[in-house]
Amino acid sequence: MAEKKLVEAITSRNDDFAQWYTDVVKKADLIDYSNVKGCMVIKPAGYAIWELIQYNLDQMFKATGVENVYMPMFIPESLLQKEKDHVDGFAPEVAWVTHGGLTPLQERMCVRPTSETLFCDFYAADIHSYRDLPRLYNQWCSVVRWEKETRPFLRSREFLWQEGHTAHATAEEAAERTELMLNVYAEFCEKFLAIPVVKGRKTEKEKFAGANATYTIEAMMHDGKALQSGTSHDFGDGFARAFDIKYTDRDNTLKFVHQTSWGLSTRIIGAIIMVHGDDSGLVLPPLVAPTQVMIVPIQQQKEGVLDKANELKEALGSFRVKVDSSEKSPGFKFAEQEMRGIPIRLEIGPKDIAMGKCVICRRDTREKIECNLEDVTQTVSKLLETIQNDMLARATKHLQENTYKAANKEEFIKAFNEKLGFVKAMWCGDRTCEEKIKEEMAVTSRCMPYEQEQLADTCIYCGKPAEKMVYWGKAY
Amino acid sequence: MAEKKLVEAITSRNDDFAQWYTDVVKKADLIDYSNVKGCMVIKPAGYAIWELIQYNLDQMFKATGVENVYMPMFIPESLLQKEKDHVDGFAPEVAWVTHGGLTPLQERMCVRPTSETLFCDFYAADIHSYRDLPRLYNQWCSVVRWEKETRPFLRSREFLWQEGHTAHATAEEAAERTELMLNVYAEFCEKFLAIPVVKGRKTEKEKFAGANATYTIEAMMHDGKALQSGTSHDFGDGFARAFDIKYTDRDNTLKFVHQTSWGLSTRIIGAIIMVHGDDSGLVLPPLVAPTQVMIVPIQQQKEGVLDKANELKEALGSFRVKVDSSEKSPGFKFAEQEMRGIPIRLEIGPKDIAMGKCVICRRDTREKIECNLEDVTQTVSKLLETIQNDMLARATKHLQENTYKAANKEEFIKAFNEKLGFVKAMWCGDRTCEEKIKEEMAVTSRCMPYEQEQLADTCIYCGKPAEKMVYWGKAY
């Protein structure tokens, strides 16, 4: 009965995807709602995924020369206001601190919604010479944006992220870094999260407040909607001019630096859930699964069963393995392991032990394999790799099959009417057309992909000459 | 000249310890002051030390069953007020958020100064049965306390730390966990930071706001002052009663949980500096040194020198090694490596290469060793271990030599007059005596150590029967 309860508790993915998402997040024990409105509690099962993301992404950053730092969490109001576009973009959604203890502050401060202004203020004092460049700093921290509607991982008033902030001698170097970090994000998503992404540039309308250009990786969820999964911004010398960040070049003249910033947040956990999950719950890619193998002893009260289970755990020491020796029934344990998305379940009971075997079950396909006990390590090792690869292959197939081309407005409407996904279509570059398309068809431009195609000569909306091919979609 | 400048820039440790500290923190590039009053910027060299502390301490936590989570950074005012002693202790020094965007909040919230109230609020909803216990949660985050006087690492308005919060079925289990975590801290300080500590219990006057008992590790700095380096609190069921955190026990009755919390912060970096540093700057224990070996090529423009330096770096791949191939003079590089506290400097020039040798220099003793190139890996490996051990031995000797015993008031005054350190003395247990001693002699009780001695039968201040032996000292 308890088993049924656990499984029945989640809505089917195809009945109500939004409710399915909420159910999984809760039943897989990733988060809990808190009494602090709009903020969530990230529970051990959820935070451990973030720790694996942090660890692996951080290694990739460091391999490109990035160093970690920590900036204050507060931004004095005057500092936030230095770059006009930036303050316009963020001021309406920040939390303001007005009192320290019992005393009103002379100048109120916001809790960082992002830290461009703090890094700029620091760089202005810290950078003097071309020898000080590039500066390749990153920080792992939490940020606050006063959202009205919130959803676990996807949108909350406080979230965890990393924000990289770099300063360079030339515009070219800044542009290169912007692209390099976008590529790091894309590679990370494919390799570790088994999520394929579309890489491209945001339109003027969708770019970051204060940036010259914003680049994005867009992932497709199971329901065909897009999730912006990481962004990389090229600031040119805009912030440098606002904050007066200059360096003395080799030719002894003063020049403005060129800057970038790039971020990826706990939102990406929402992508993992919505790309890979199924009606039994979460399905985690092995490389970011906090537990990769759950050993479930069958008839564990019988002599030797628990010992054998623990022995197998030892043998599998190079993986992240747990034994579920709780008092629950095996059926309940199976349901729980599936709900939590643990990639491999290993069942071992008295009969298996007598035959020198065990049963290995893949979470992603539910395929069961009988395995000789002496082959367990090798089998698990190979299977984790296979699962990781198969998950990426399935997600890639889903992305491809749900990406359509539209040469004109009729095809565009038809494509979105048939099934939600991405639609590639030509655009004149005019903001008005972009806004009209959003208004009339409730889809937004996701990006102008690096890989451009010439689907037609004219904009699908206005018929004027086309400038760019754009990915369109509904977004989270 | 540049070399001189770097070295001259720091005050001698014995001339002005406080100024020496400020100089080292700045010249070793650990932090920078920010334009956010009372907050610091932790620069790469400082943050990398914190990353090593985090990584190693986190491993030790996890080995005891602790899991990481993340709670919101805001505490609604009504939540902060639930435990009376706690709110009295913290309310005067918190930062208040009063507006979200343009809208005033219905209830103001503070930025967490510590998260007992948030964890309690969560546990009250999350814990139902004895099966849910113990809960062993920890989070790595930043906290805010509106200090008036700030000093880098030692006291700042925002600082980084970990805070563990556990819930248990019985008072005994909570008491055991409190002691276990204090022991983890003490072991961590000795093993990784080469800092010996005194373990003991705080007096009622000095305990944490809301705790039944607070335990502390106290380290002695080079100047003889104490630095409280980590604390572990036993809350009994005080918070559980205030927040109504109950569980159904095996006997089917409702019982209050018993709780603990324990924290260690970036303050500990201040301890590393003040225990080990010298007049040439920082001296880092190898286990938490972001760079363990700095290879300095001599006459690097000569053919083969840089190649050999890089080859050595490769050979030393299992350690954290850098080659300083910048354009600075070798002398400047030496001074910089010393200022930054890098444990080993490896000098290699054309003459060394011709002889198949290099020069290895210990940061802690400045001893120089000639080393055959084929023995470099082994020599460095052993030397790092030796340096780590010797640093602990020196710090332990310093602690022992500057800890005095006083059987009565005269001896107590004399001990503190001679040289600053710790003084062990008997105390009646009366808060008034403790306050008077502080008032008259400007020293505070550091702790009632686990290892009690019977130095006399009476309190050194009032002459009434003694209850406890106490460590006294001046503190940061």
Side-chain angles (χ1 to χ4, degrees):
Chain A
M1 216 206 77
E3 293 155 39
K4 269 198 179 163
K5 219 170 126 190
L6 190 72
V7 177
E8 277 172 3
I10 55 170
T11 312
S12 155
R13 207 165 42 149
N14 293 326
D15 286 354
D16 183 344
F17 194 71
Q19 187 58 46
W20 168 85
Y21 177 79
T22 312
D23 290 350
V24 170
V25 161
K26 197 77 175 61
K27 293 284 165 187
D29 234 10
L30 303 181
I31 69 112
D32 212 336
Y33 297 96
S34 81
N35 286 323
V36 186
K37 213 184 151 219
C39 296
M40 58 181 176
V41 172
I42 309 183
K43 294 175 79 173
Y47 196 79
I49 299 173
W50 183 240
E51 284 183 304
L52 286 164
I53 290 171
Q54 277 193 298
Y55 178 78
N56 290 297
L57 189 55
D58 198 65
Q59 302 272 99
M60 291 177 77
F61 289 165
K62 284 176 177 159
T64 74
V66 170
E67 299 180 295
N68 286 336
V69 299
Y70 189 77
M71 291 280 158
M73 71 152 81
F74 299 118
I75 307 175
E77 189 164 17
S78 56
L79 198 59
L80 188 70
Q81 286 171 339
K82 276 201 175 178
E83 210 287 337
K84 205 201 150 296
D85 292 338
H86 192 68
V87 67
D88 289 349
F90 285 103
E93 58 173 38
V94 296
W96 289 106
V97 174
T98 57
H99 286 71
L102 306 170
T103 321
L105 300 186
Q106 289 195 313
E107 179 185 12
R108 65 178 186 163
M109 305 186 302
C110 71
V111 181
R112 62 181 163 223
T114 178
S115 304
E116 276 73 12
T117 52
L118 292 161
F119 276 89
C120 284
D121 192 48
F122 171 72
Y123 284 146
D126 195 55
I127 293 172
H128 306 286
S129 147
Y130 69 91
R131 285 187 208 89
D132 299 329
L133 297 172
R135 279 272 186 265
L136 308 173
Y137 288 172
N138 173 66
Q139 72 176 356
W140 293 90
C141 64
S142 74
V143 287
V144 170
R145 296 177 189 179
W146 219 251
E147 306 281 358
K148 293 217 168 56
E149 304 265 325
T150 60
R151 295 192 65 191
F153 294 120
L154 301 177
R155 198 172 292 280
S156 52
R157 286 192 174 168
E158 181 187 6
F159 58 90
L160 304 178
W161 79 345
Q162 60 65 219
E163 46 178 327
H165 297 268
T166 69
H168 306 266
T170 65
E172 293 68 34
E173 276 182 50
E176 269 167 36
R177 175 55 63 168
T178 310
E179 187 174 344
L180 173 64
M181 298 321 286
L182 194 78
N183 287 336
V184 165
Y185 286 150
E187 190 190 330
F188 173 76
C189 286
E190 294 212 350
K191 186 174 164 198
F192 289 94
L193 313 182
I195 297 177
V197 294
V198 176
K199 293 189 287 187
R201 182 174 170 173
K202 287 278 181 195
T203 60
E204 284 297 299
K205 180 177 177 294
E206 301 287 334
K207 76 177 188 189
F208 180 84
N212 272 3
T214 289
Y215 296 83
T216 178
I217 51 168
E218 300 282 324
M220 186 188 286
M221 305 298 103
H222 174 76
D223 64 352
K225 279 197 195 173
L227 190 88
Q228 177 181 307
S229 303
T231 46
S232 188
H233 315 291
D234 188 342
F235 291 134
D237 60 5
F239 274 94
R241 286 176 187 273
F243 284 80
D244 200 30
I245 315 173
K246 285 183 196 143
Y247 70 99
T248 308
D249 205 352
R250 285 169 197 271
D251 63 7
N252 224 19
T253 62
L254 272 178
K255 293 179 185 165
F256 285 113
V257 301
H258 291 75
Q259 291 171 275
T260 81
S261 83
W262 25 275
L264 180 143
S265 77
T266 36
R267 179 162 229 241
I268 201 74
I269 298 176
I272 298 173
I273 300 165
M274 291 196 287
V275 167
H276 301 300
D278 65 21
D279 280 354
S280 302
L282 199 60
V283 180
L284 287 172
L287 289 177
V288 292
T291 304
Q292 296 174 311
V293 181
M294 180 61 87
I295 300 176
V296 180
I298 314 292
Q299 297 185 282
Q300 66 185 32
Q301 71 291 352
K302 293 228 169 135
E303 206 188 313
V305 174
L306 271 181
D307 288 346
K308 183 52 93 178
N310 286 320
E311 205 180 282
L312 283 171
K313 189 190 161 191
E314 287 303 312
L316 292 167
S318 56
F319 308 100
R320 297 185 285 270
V321 183
K322 279 190 180 166
V323 175
D324 187 348
S325 56
S326 65
E327 289 162 24
K328 299 159 196 163
S329 72
F332 189 86
K333 291 179 187 179
F334 292 180
E336 209 165 54
Q337 166 261 327
E338 292 185 352
M339 184 65 78
R340 289 169 179 246
I342 296 165
I344 290 178
R345 179 173 76 232
L346 193 157
E347 306 166 12
I348 179 103
K351 280 182 204 161
D352 304 301
I353 296 171
M355 293 190 297
K357 288 178 186 292
C358 68
V359 175
I360 286 178
C361 185
R362 284 175 70 159
R363 171 63 184 90
D364 62 333
T365 59
R366 283 141 171 276
E367 190 189 340
K368 285 197 176 199
I369 306 148
E370 229 184 47
C371 176
N372 289 322
L373 288 179
E374 61 265 34
D375 302 333
V376 161
T377 311
Q378 215 194 340
T379 307
V380 164
S381 172
K382 273 193 193 160
L383 193 55
L384 287 172
E385 213 179 302
T386 305
I387 294 172
Q388 183 82 31
N389 293 337
D390 288 359
M391 286 177 73
L392 176 60
R394 274 193 301 275
T396 304
K397 190 162 172 274
H398 179 72
L399 172 61
Q400 284 164 351
E401 288 180 352
N402 293 282
T403 300
Y404 310 96
K405 289 178 188 178
N408 53 49
K409 197 171 174 185
E410 291 64 45
E411 286 181 24
F412 191 79
I413 294 172
K414 186 163 172 278
F416 276 116
N417 277 348
E418 271 172 15
K419 202 187 160 198
L420 199 57
F422 293 171
V423 176
K424 298 193 266 191
M426 305 309 290
W427 173 56
C428 60
D430 192 336
R431 193 180 178 129
T432 321
C433 279
E434 192 182 352
E435 280 163 359
K436 286 263 170 72
I437 290 173
K438 186 179 174 184
E439 218 177 284
E440 290 177 26
M441 302 171 220
V443 295
T444 53
S445 72
R446 303 316 310 149
C447 69
M448 302 177 282
Y450 280 108
E451 292 174 23
Q452 285 283 314
E453 300 165 49
Q454 189 71 20
L455 303 178
D457 296 328
T458 54
C459 172
I460 57 131
Y461 192 83
C462 68
K464 273 186 267 181
E467 249 189 20
K468 285 278 178 191
M469 184 187 79
V470 171
Y471 269 84
W472 300 85
K474 271 197 210 292
Y476 278 96
Chain B
M1 214 206 79
E3 292 155 40
K4 268 198 178 161
K5 218 169 128 192
L6 190 72
V7 176
E8 276 173 4
I10 58 171
T11 311
S12 154
R13 204 163 48 147
N14 293 327
D15 286 353
D16 182 345
F17 193 70
Q19 188 57 48
W20 168 84
Y21 177 79
T22 311
D23 289 349
V24 170
V25 160
K26 197 74 175 64
K27 293 282 164 190
D29 232 10
L30 302 180
I31 69 115
D32 212 335
Y33 297 96
S34 80
N35 286 323
V36 186
K37 212 186 153 218
C39 297
M40 59 183 174
V41 172
I42 309 183
K43 294 175 81 173
Y47 197 80
I49 299 173
W50 183 239
E51 285 183 303
L52 286 164
I53 290 172
Q54 277 194 298
Y55 177 79
N56 290 297
L57 189 54
D58 198 65
Q59 301 272 98
M60 291 177 78
F61 289 164
K62 284 177 176 158
T64 74
V66 170
E67 299 179 295
N68 286 336
V69 299
Y70 189 78
M71 291 280 161
M73 72 150 79
F74 298 118
I75 307 174
E77 188 163 19
S78 56
L79 197 59
L80 187 69
Q81 287 172 338
K82 275 200 172 178
E83 211 286 337
K84 205 199 149 301
D85 291 340
H86 191 70
V87 67
D88 289 349
F90 285 103
E93 58 173 39
V94 295
W96 289 106
V97 174
T98 56
H99 286 70
L102 307 170
T103 321
L105 301 186
Q106 290 196 313
E107 180 184 12
R108 65 179 185 161
M109 304 186 302
C110 70
V111 181
R112 64 184 162 220
T114 178
S115 304
E116 275 73 13
T117 53
L118 292 161
F119 276 89
C120 284
D121 192 47
F122 171 72
Y123 284 145
D126 194 56
I127 294 172
H128 307 284
S129 146
Y130 69 90
R131 286 187 206 90
D132 299 329
L133 297 172
R135 280 271 187 265
L136 308 173
Y137 288 172
N138 173 66
Q139 72 177 356
W140 293 92
C141 63
S142 74
V143 286
V144 169
R145 296 176 188 179
W146 219 252
E147 307 280 358
K148 294 217 170 55
E149 304 264 326
T150 61
R151 295 192 64 191
F153 294 119
L154 302 177
R155 198 172 294 277
S156 53
R157 287 193 173 167
E158 181 187 6
F159 58 90
L160 303 178
W161 78 345
Q162 59 65 221
E163 47 178 326
H165 296 268
T166 69
H168 306 266
T170 65
E172 293 69 33
E173 275 183 50
E176 271 168 34
R177 174 57 59 169
T178 311
E179 188 173 343
L180 173 64
M181 298 321 287
L182 194 78
N183 288 336
V184 165
Y185 287 150
E187 192 190 327
F188 172 77
C189 286
E190 294 210 351
K191 187 174 162 198
F192 289 93
L193 313 182
I195 297 178
V197 294
V198 176
K199 292 189 288 186
R201 182 175 169 171
K202 287 279 180 194
T203 61
E204 284 297 299
K205 179 175 176 295
E206 300 288 335
K207 77 177 187 189
F208 179 82
N212 272 3
T214 289
Y215 297 83
T216 178
I217 50 168
E218 301 281 326
M220 186 188 286
M221 305 299 101
H222 175 75
D223 63 353
K225 279 198 196 173
L227 190 87
Q228 177 179 307
S229 304
T231 47
S232 186
H233 315 291
D234 189 343
F235 291 133
D237 60 4
F239 275 93
R241 286 176 188 275
F243 284 81
D244 201 30
I245 315 173
K246 285 181 196 147
Y247 70 98
T248 308
D249 205 352
R250 286 169 197 271
D251 64 7
N252 224 18
T253 62
L254 272 177
K255 290 178 187 166
F256 286 113
V257 301
H258 290 75
Q259 291 170 273
T260 81
S261 82
W262 23 277
L264 181 141
S265 77
T266 35
R267 180 161 228 242
I268 201 75
I269 298 176
I272 298 172
I273 300 165
M274 290 195 288
V275 168
H276 301 301
D278 65 21
D279 281 354
S280 302
L282 198 60
V283 181
L284 287 173
L287 289 176
V288 292
T291 304
Q292 296 173 312
V293 181
M294 180 61 87
I295 300 176
V296 180
I298 313 291
Q299 297 184 279
Q300 65 186 31
Q301 72 291 355
K302 292 229 169 138
E303 204 188 316
V305 174
L306 270 180
D307 287 346
K308 184 52 95 179
N310 286 319
E311 201 181 287
L312 283 170
K313 188 190 162 192
E314 287 303 312
L316 292 167
S318 56
F319 308 101
R320 298 184 286 271
V321 184
K322 279 190 180 165
V323 175
D324 187 347
S325 55
S326 64
E327 289 163 22
K328 300 159 195 163
S329 72
F332 190 87
K333 291 178 187 179
F334 292 0
E336 209 165 53
Q337 166 262 328
E338 292 185 351
M339 184 65 77
R340 288 168 180 246
I342 296 166
I344 289 177
R345 179 174 74 232
L346 194 156
E347 306 166 13
I348 179 103
K351 281 182 202 159
D352 303 300
I353 297 172
M355 294 188 295
K357 287 177 187 288
C358 67
V359 175
I360 286 178
C361 184
R362 284 175 70 160
R363 171 64 184 90
D364 62 333
T365 60
R366 285 143 167 272
E367 191 189 339
K368 284 197 175 199
I369 307 149
E370 229 185 48
C371 176
N372 289 322
L373 288 179
E374 61 265 33
D375 301 334
V376 161
T377 310
Q378 216 194 340
T379 306
V380 163
S381 172
K382 272 193 193 160
L383 193 56
L384 287 172
E385 211 178 303
T386 306
I387 293 172
Q388 183 83 30
N389 293 337
D390 288 358
M391 286 177 73
L392 176 60
R394 274 194 302 273
T396 304
K397 189 161 171 275
H398 179 73
L399 172 61
Q400 285 164 351
E401 287 180 353
N402 293 283
T403 300
Y404 311 96
K405 289 177 187 179
N408 54 49
K409 197 171 173 180
E410 289 65 44
E411 286 183 22
F412 190 81
I413 293 172
K414 186 163 171 279
F416 276 115
N417 277 348
E418 272 173 14
K419 201 188 159 197
L420 198 56
F422 293 170
V423 176
K424 299 194 266 190
M426 304 309 291
W427 173 56
C428 61
D430 193 336
R431 191 177 178 132
T432 321
C433 280
E434 192 182 351
E435 280 163 359
K436 286 264 169 71
I437 290 172
K438 185 179 175 185
E439 216 178 281
E440 291 178 26
M441 301 169 222
V443 295
T444 53
S445 73
R446 303 316 310 150
C447 69
M448 302 176 283
Y450 280 110
E451 292 174 22
Q452 285 283 314
E453 299 165 49
Q454 190 70 21
L455 303 177
D457 296 327
T458 54
C459 172
I460 57 129
Y461 192 84
C462 68
K464 274 187 268 184
E467 249 187 21
K468 285 281 179 189
M469 183 187 82
V470 171
Y471 269 86
W472 301 85
K474 272 199 210 290
Y476 277 96

